[in-house]
Amino acid sequence: MPSETVLPDRTDSGTPAETPLRLVGIHKSFGGVVAIKNFDLDVKAGEIVALVGDNGAGKSTLIKIISGLYQPTEGEIWLNGQEANFRDASDARAKGVEVVYQDLALVVDQPVYMNMFLGRELTTGPLKILDRKRMATETQQLVDALDVRIPSAKATLSDLSGGQRQGVAICRATHWASSLVLLDEPTAALGVAETAKVEELILKLKARGAAILIVSHNMDQVFRIADRVSVLRRGTQVATRSLADTTHNELVAMITGLAS
Amino acid sequence: MSTTTQTEPSLLARASNVKWSNYVVYIGFVLVFVFFAITQTQYFLNPTNLTNIVIQAAPITIMAIGMVFVLSTGEIDLSIGSTVALSALTAAVVLQSTDVWWIAAAAGLAVGAIVGLVNGIFITWVRLPSFLVTLATMGLVAGLARQLTDLQSVPVTDKAFVWIFGGGNLLGLPIMVWWTIAAVLVGWHLLRQRRYGAHVLAVGNSAAASRVSGIKVNRVRLMVFVGSAMTAAVAGLLYAGRLQGARYTLGETDLMTVIAAAIVGGTSLFGGKGTVIGALIGSLLMSMINNGLILSGLNVSQQMIVRGAIILIAVSFSLRGKKNS
Ligand SMILES: Nc1ncnc2c1ncn2[C@@H]1O[C@H](COP(=O)(O)OP(=O)(O)OP(=O)(O)O)[C@@H](O)[C@H]1O
Ligand SMILES: [Mg+2]
């Protein structure tokens, strides 16, 4: 089944500025194993696109490609109309791409504010001394603005619940993302209430105009928060649909490859 | 302010939440101090003896600070003891031929830098576990130290060298105390006040999280091994200056004491947590125990037995708490 995404005109000097993410013909193989073939997708500002598929379909691989951890074997990544070539994760971060990982890319023995600024710590003075005070204040403001309930910005991460930690990770992405946020199964490890809280946060991100690509195994979640959905099956992009134009059953059929 | 929806925990609950393991070293320090003060009043509390405890501890303190950084990244450096000997001997040999103290010191430090780089390169580029790499370099460097002077001791007579790295006195304080203060300040600054220190702890906590956060994980790892070997080289110079000579046996038995000082001080053996002040207190504690045991008239073998037992107890206290928390 062909993808419904319109291929960009390659002679075009750039894509419209309102397209924070455009993937063109992304292909990735690990040695002989093909993880992704010919993947195309646009994610617009203020839009949530869900990426679904069975285990091993290639979802995390795609997220890692967009975030610079892997390089695509073939294909192009366009950010806000500019072609991007990431050598590593810090390249992508410098371009305003933020990721929230399934397995929480946080350091548990450090305070919340250090996690918020991990790898980008604020310093002060000619001696470049860590500005713990300013990091804590800014973290507290952000956490308050997004209504993430944690005891304090100075609390050690290991003292927080899984939902609170994921809240911190999303706050971090919000703080640093200039246009694009990638979420790889952000609620996989969370209970019902905490999942609701995280979904609320994601919708706040959308309201702020971020382009959001979220990987999820939870179809109800996809229907609750996403605008469009793209389905991967064993590395092949099966379809990209507006959620208004599809049903739960159709989605499951596309994921599994079995007719419903 | 955003706060938890739950009510604030009671004072009692908070008191029981305090991580006592963080303070084990201070409590232990006070207990041991009081014990020797009571049992060995006459000699132990003598100011000269107390200063001696700090002086004796100086090389261990400095190496324990280097070890804090290594352990904080979740690695270990077993090669420090041999590096002490090779650095001391190299400095002594160079001093004999040049008679210039700073060239000798630079040669000793260069030994540290090279050993550290070799460790670091094998750990980051060849991706071998630090335990294996430093176990191998421990033997290799010890062999070089034996080879260098064919097992002969080398005397150190240069006045400047001996003053700076041994018996000097500055503003009424022994030079060894100044070395200790300098090492603690530098170590504390690097670990607590610099981005580097934050990255060291982050790498020890989760190398994957650090990597996706843009931290140059391998560079951090390489640096901690260079730093650790450099502290061992400094310790070697201090031994050579204090004993006015170098010998291949220098530093031979220091590894256990250094690791114990760091861990008892509150640095995690599993990475992610490190404290320089704790390492200082841990090292002083070890030195104090040593001193008290000698004053108590125990012979060398008895001292070793008691010291080993004490380290075992102290380490199990601090590590048990860590795992629970
Ligand atoms: N670094 C790698 N080296 C080799 N093969 C890899 C690598 N990373 C992923 N793969 C392979 O690529 C395929 C896609 O994996 P990926 O992790 O992207 O799946 P996923 O859709 O995220 O699955 P899940 O829902 O279980 O998280 C799998 O077959 C996997 O084995
Ligand atoms: Mg995955």
Side-chain angles (χ1 to χ4, degrees), chain B residues 86-148:
Chain B
L86 189 60
S87 150
L89 276 168
T90 305
V93 168
V94 172
L95 195 56
Q96 266 190 336
S97 55
T98 63
D99 272 330
V100 185
W101 70 268
W102 61 266
I103 296 181
L109 293 177
V111 165
I114 293 168
V115 175
L117 276 174
V118 170
N119 283 338
I121 285 169
F122 274 90
I123 290 156
T124 58
W125 288 4
V126 190
R127 292 166 184 250
L128 296 175
S130 54
F131 178 81
L132 289 181
V133 171
T134 58
L135 189 64
T137 52
M138 170 173 85
L140 194 152
V141 172
L144 288 174
R146 283 162 168 75
Q147 182 86 40
L148 183 65

Side-chain angles (χ1 to χ4, degrees), chain A residues 139-161:
Chain A
T139 301
Q140 190 68 55
Q141 283 168 356
L142 191 71
V143 158
D144 291 348
L146 291 174
D147 197 24
V148 174
R149 288 161 193 237
I150 55 169
S152 141
K154 290 178 182 160
T156 305
L157 216 75
S158 56
D159 292 339
L160 303 186
S161 75

